[in-house]
């Protein structure tokens, strides 16, 4: 069944009314249920047009905290959930939409991009890896943040190969921030990326501790204050410090001996 103009208006009204916006936390449960309803083949053109229209709603029409911001949020999750069933052309468009959302000025829309990527990975991690391979070269700092946030997702990390892949890519991104210099280090994209890395590595390392602590030890040897803050923050997370106390303490001791 395809939505007519009146159906679309009613659906938009319902989602915005139930969005819990303005507020600190949108209705993630509703967004997830809505997205799961499109995890199948055979999406009509009307549904596709509605979702892609929502995904592209600009901040001027759906600013941060505005209930209408819930529409692009839902659209990003939904398009991610539908990705494995989409045509090649639609997949290309979904990836482009999520990439644009990752660079959005609205933090909630950026989060939706990461969650949309997670939806792709939950259906087929290989498809997610293909998308990220296209993003990786020349990725902006905010796109790198979306990559890291998407991969720091426990359901994806249950597979050992996926966890090793996540650590490898997150490690490359962390090491690359040493090349960010000057005013760019004080701008929001750099701050947002670092904040994401300050928790993400510990999630990945908890899933694959051997490779995880090897990465954290290597990063701890870098002479960069932002990288050292990232390492210390991850080692301070209880998911690592409680279960892997000796490994955590050894890396921290090495950092202290350098300073």
């Amino acid at each position: 069944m395809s939505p007519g103009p009146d159906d679309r208006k009613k659906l938009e009204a319902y989602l915005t009314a139930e969005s819990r916006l303005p507020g600190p936390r949108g209705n993630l449960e509703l967004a997830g249920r809505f997205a799961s309803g499109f995890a199948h083949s055979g999406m009509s053109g009307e549904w596709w047009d509605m979702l892609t229209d929502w995904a592209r709603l600009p901040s001027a029409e759906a600013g941060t905290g505005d209930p209408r911001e819930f529409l692009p949020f839902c659209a990003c999750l939904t398009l991610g959930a539908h990705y494995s069933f989409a045509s090649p052309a639609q997949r290309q468009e979904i990836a482009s939409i999520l990439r644009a959302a990752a660079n959005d000025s609205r933090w909630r829309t950026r989060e939706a991009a990461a969650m949309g990527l997670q939806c792709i990975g939950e259906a087929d991690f290989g498809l997610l890896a293909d998308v990220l391979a296209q993003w990786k070269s020349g990725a902006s700092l905010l796109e790198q943040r979306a990559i890291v946030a998407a991969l720091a997702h426990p359901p994806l990390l249950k597979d050992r190969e996926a966890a090793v892949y996540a650590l490898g890519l997150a490690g490359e991104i962390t090491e690359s921030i040493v090349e960010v210099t000057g005013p760019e280090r004080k701008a929001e994209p750099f701050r947002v990326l670092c904040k994401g890395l300050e928790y993400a590595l510990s999630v990945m390392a908890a899933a694959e501790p051997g490779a995880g602590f090897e990465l954290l030890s290597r990063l701890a040897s870098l002479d960069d204050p932002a990288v050292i803050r990232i390492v210390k923050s991850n080692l301070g997370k209880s998911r690592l410090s409680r279960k892997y106390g000796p490994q955590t303490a050894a890396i921290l001791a090495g950092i202290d001996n350098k300073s």
Side-chain angles (χ1 to χ4, degrees):
M1 181 177 177
S2 299
D6 290 342
D7 297 322
R8 176 167 172 169
K9 288 179 181 178
K10 289 177 182 178
L11 183 55
E12 290 181 357
Y14 173 75
L15 290 175
T16 54
E18 298 296 322
S19 67
R20 298 181 189 160
L21 300 177
R25 185 177 182 273
N27 194 338
L28 300 181
E29 297 81 6
L30 176 58
R33 290 198 303 272
F34 183 79
S36 66
F38 291 85
H40 58 74
S41 59
M43 181 188 292
S44 71
E46 289 81 4
W47 281 118
W48 175 263
D49 290 343
M50 183 190 74
L51 291 169
T52 54
D53 285 348
W54 285 1
R56 294 188 173 101
L57 274 175
S59 58
E61 297 179 25
T64 300
D66 186 309
R68 284 183 61 79
E69 189 190 6
F70 194 57
L71 298 177
F73 185 91
C74 288
C76 286
L77 267 63
T78 302
L79 292 171
H82 183 68
Y83 186 89
S84 63
F85 303 96
S87 69
Q90 287 176 328
R91 288 183 180 182
Q92 187 174 0
E93 187 170 354
I94 291 171
S96 177
I97 285 172
L98 293 180
R99 193 165 193 171
N103 287 289
D104 200 272
S105 61
R106 296 163 291 186
W107 70 266
R108 188 173 281 109
T109 302
R110 296 197 299 265
E111 193 64 25
M115 294 176 71
L117 291 172
Q118 289 171 354
C119 290
I120 296 173
E122 287 181 7
D124 187 328
F125 192 83
L127 290 178
L128 174 60
D130 289 343
V131 172
L132 300 188
Q134 296 173 30
W135 286 28
K136 187 171 67 168
S137 178
S140 71
L141 295 178
L142 289 177
E143 289 165 8
Q144 291 176 48
R145 185 268 169 190
I147 292 170
V148 168
L151 292 173
H153 187 48
L156 299 182
L157 301 173
K158 291 178 181 179
D159 180 82
R160 184 178 184 278
E161 288 187 9
V164 171
Y165 170 90
L167 282 163
L169 185 49
E172 290 178 24
I173 289 172
T174 308
E175 289 171 330
S176 72
I177 69 174
V178 302
E179 300 170 9
V180 180
T181 58
E184 197 174 3
R185 283 212 164 203
K186 298 179 180 179
E188 183 182 16
F190 184 78
R191 179 187 63 79
V192 169
L193 172 58
C194 288
K195 186 176 180 181
L197 287 167
E198 285 173 7
Y199 81 88
L201 299 182
S202 66
V203 177
M204 299 170 188
E208 187 57 37
F213 278 100
E214 181 180 343
L215 170 62
L216 289 167
S217 180
R218 186 172 79 245
L219 294 174
S221 68
L222 298 180
D223 187 20
D224 185 281
V227 174
I228 296 302
R229 280 195 301 272
I230 289 167
V231 172
K232 284 186 172 181
S233 177
N234 282 282
L235 292 174
K237 298 292 186 288
S238 60
R239 64 178 65 95
L240 294 186
S241 61
R242 289 182 181 177
K243 192 172 181 180
Y244 305 103
Q247 296 97 316
T248 299
I251 296 175
L252 288 173
I255 292 173
D256 291 339
N257 289 337
K258 284 173 53 182
S259 59

